[in-house]
Amino acid sequence: MNKETALVVFSGGQDSTTCLFWAKQKFKKVLALSFLYGQKHQKEVELARNIALKAGVPFEVMDVSFIGRLGHNSLTDVTMTMDQEKPADSYPNTFVPGRNLFFLSIAAVYAREHGIQHIVTGVSQTDFSGYPDCRDGFIKSLNVTLNLSMDEQFVIHTPLMWIDKAETWALADRLGVLDLVRNETLTCYNGIPGDGCGHCPACKLRREGLEKYLSTKR
Ligand code: ZN
C-alpha cells in the first residue's frame, strides 16, 4: 500500500476543501473523489472540479445517485422544504441517511484499486446537526470494518473532527487558502457559492464561524 498518497472525499464545500489542502501538506500525492448522490445542487461537483484543478489534484466523480432515491431528505428531494432548525427529538431533514457510510465504503474500494492507504474526510463531531455518521465513533467503527472487509490497513483521517467552524477557518488560513475557501466553495443548502444565501443553516454556521475567527485576528 502506498503510504504517501491520500484520497480525499471531496464535495467542494468549506470542510472538504480545507481537508484537501491539509492533505496536500501532509502527503506527497493527493487524489480527490466526489459523489453525485442526487443532490439538488449538482453544480457543487463542477465547483469541486475547479478547486481540484487549482490545487493540482486529480479529480474523479462517482455516480451514487441511488442514495437520494433510497431515503427521503431535503437535499435530494425537490418537493421537500428544508428544516431550518434541528428538531428536538430527531435530525433535520438535511440528514442523508447512509451518505458517509456509502461515500467512505466506495472511497475505500477506490483507494484499494489505486493502492492507497490513507483516506481523508471532513466530518466533524462538532457539526451543529449532530449527524450520526459524522461522529468519531462511527468513523473508527467503519475504519475497522473496512479493514476487515478487504483485509487492508486503511487509515481514515478526520482533521476537523474536534474543531468548530471558527477553527476550520483558522486552519484554512494557516494553509494559505482562506480566500479560496471563502470565495470558491459551496456550503449553502440553497446552492449559492461563496458567502451563500446567508440564511440557511449551513450559511449561518459558516458565517458565524468566519466572524468568530476574524474577530480573534484583529
Ligand atoms: Zn445558504
Side-chain angles (χ1 to χ4, degrees):
M1 290 290 260
N2 188 340
K3 290 189 165 79
E4 297 184 335
T5 304
L7 177 67
V8 179
V9 177
F10 184 56
S11 72
Q14 177 191 356
D15 294 342
S16 65
T17 300
T18 305
C19 285
L20 187 74
F21 286 92
W22 176 89
K24 272 180 60 98
Q25 209 170 64
K26 297 268 174 199
F27 296 92
K28 275 201 172 140
K29 195 175 169 211
V30 175
L31 281 76
L33 185 63
S34 276
F35 294 95
L36 281 170
Y37 62 94
Q39 65 269 53
K40 289 179 202 166
H41 306 297
Q42 298 209 354
K43 72 177 169 197
E44 74 179 26
V45 174
E46 290 317 306
L47 291 166
R49 187 190 302 279
N50 287 338
I51 295 167
L53 195 68
K54 278 195 180 174
V57 167
F59 176 80
E60 187 140 7
V61 183
M62 289 281 152
D63 187 344
V64 291
S65 43
F66 66 90
I67 294 174
R69 294 195 299 274
L70 275 174
H72 273 87
N73 67 84
S74 63
L75 295 193
T76 58
D77 186 341
V78 289
T79 65
M80 219 160 148
T81 310
M82 192 197 327
D83 283 340
Q84 296 297 317
E85 303 287 337
K86 183 184 185 308
D89 56 347
S90 173
Y91 299 102
N93 62 15
T94 49
F95 175 50
V96 183
R99 181 167 53 174
N100 284 333
L101 175 66
F102 288 120
F103 284 8
L104 287 165
S105 299
I106 291 163
V109 176
Y110 184 92
R112 184 178 183 276
E113 276 308 301
H114 291 77
I116 298 170
Q117 181 181 16
H118 296 277
I119 299 167
V120 182
T121 170
V123 296
S124 171
Q125 187 154 333
T126 51
D127 183 289
F128 77 114
S129 304
Y131 296 145
D133 61 352
C134 291
R135 292 183 196 142
D136 194 51
F138 163 71
I139 298 294
K140 288 202 164 78
S141 160
L142 182 62
N143 200 153
V144 172
T145 298
L146 290 171
N147 290 354
L148 291 172
S149 73
M150 288 175 256
D151 196 15
E152 297 287 352
Q153 294 296 316
F154 298 115
V155 182
I156 302 181
H157 298 264
T158 55
L160 311 183
M161 182 59 77
W162 305 109
I163 67 176
D164 65 13
K165 276 282 183 278
E167 291 165 306
T168 303
W169 283 112
L171 176 59
D173 203 5
R174 277 204 302 282
L175 294 165
V177 291
L178 183 91
D179 287 340
L180 183 148
V181 172
R182 185 168 181 184
N183 298 322
E184 298 184 33
T185 62
L186 172 63
T187 308
C188 174
Y189 285 148
N190 291 311
I192 302 168
D195 288 339
C197 74
H199 55 77
C200 76
C203 279
K204 273 190 211 157
L205 189 74
R206 176 175 159 133
R207 188 185 61 236
E208 283 164 13
L210 182 61
E211 284 169 0
K212 186 175 162 197
Y213 171 60
L214 293 177
S215 72
T216 63
K217 276 187 83 180
R218 281 184 204 119

